[in-house]
Amino acid sequence: MGTIATLYCKLGPGDVLGQSAELNEEDFNLGSLLLGRSPSVAISIPDEEVSRLHCSLNYSSKTGLFTLTDEASTNGTHLNGEALEPHKPYQLRHGDEIQLGFTSFTFNLSQPQQDRSQEQALARLLLQSYGWEVIQPKGFQHWIVPKVAAITDTEEAWKGSLEQAFASSAAIGLNLTSYTGRRALMEKYLVVKSGRHNYEAYVLFLNGRIIGAYVAEGERIMPLSILYSATLRPHYNQANNLHSES
């Protein structure tokens, strides 16, 4: 059936900040999905204020409703700012805010017609312009463009990606600070160049237009082409112009 809802992390540790957990109907075939600090739960959150088995999500295919239950966590679970009574299920609605410890999620029901094919076509065009062959898509995530000052306080695992997102946008004359607080889309691809594998490409979108891109090999992050080459902008313009004409 595909994705029926997502949990978007708007505040939390670098490992999960800005990421969207996709929820499929099949995920609930064996019962509830557990959230907590334990690495063995369905959605693991490396937050010391989160209990190992903190709360659970349930979905009814008959009613199409989601519920959230606090599993007697130490610091409690909050829904839209209100503390939940342990072991009591609460119905979730689109846009609800869920807080566990220092981590906050936004619950979103998926749109049945959600289609990223146009963004994927633009990303392929851009990557091919630099000689990168796309082997396969590796997913996507949404993130809220942060303030520059906030990047310095971000965990190292996520800090490099944020810095490169700002740098790759600056390379084409865009200033991401003007988009602070806006929700952007990051498409991720497995790519190869000159016979070398294990590269991952990230292409950033806002309102259907490319606003940045970079490639990573393991923990090494690099610009899409030569460091902020002046030739970068024409390739972005070419991809975005095709988007405008379609």
Side-chain angles (χ1 to χ4, degrees), residues 217-236:
E217 183 182 25
E219 296 183 355
R220 186 168 70 97
I221 298 173
M222 66 197 84
L224 197 59
S225 184
I226 300 173
L227 189 63
Y228 316 141
S229 167
T231 63
L232 192 62
R233 191 181 184 96
H235 290 292
Y236 281 86

Side-chain angles (χ1 to χ4, degrees), residues 35-101:
L35 291 80
R37 197 176 73 255
S38 170
S40 64
V41 300
I43 301 177
S44 182
I45 307 165
D47 180 341
E48 290 300 322
E49 296 297 312
V50 172
S51 298
R52 290 181 59 80
L53 302 178
H54 196 103
C55 62
S56 61
L57 281 172
N58 210 339
Y59 172 74
S60 170
S61 57
K62 293 183 179 180
T63 63
L65 298 179
F66 285 86
T67 55
L68 175 69
T69 304
D70 179 77
E71 301 296 341
S73 62
T74 301
N75 294 315
T77 303
H78 291 77
L79 178 61
N80 299 322
E82 297 293 328
L84 303 188
E85 182 181 331
H87 303 302
K88 177 181 177 180
Y90 291 77
Q91 183 179 336
L92 287 175
R93 295 176 174 80
H94 181 75
D96 278 349
E97 302 291 329
I98 302 169
Q99 184 171 355
L100 299 73

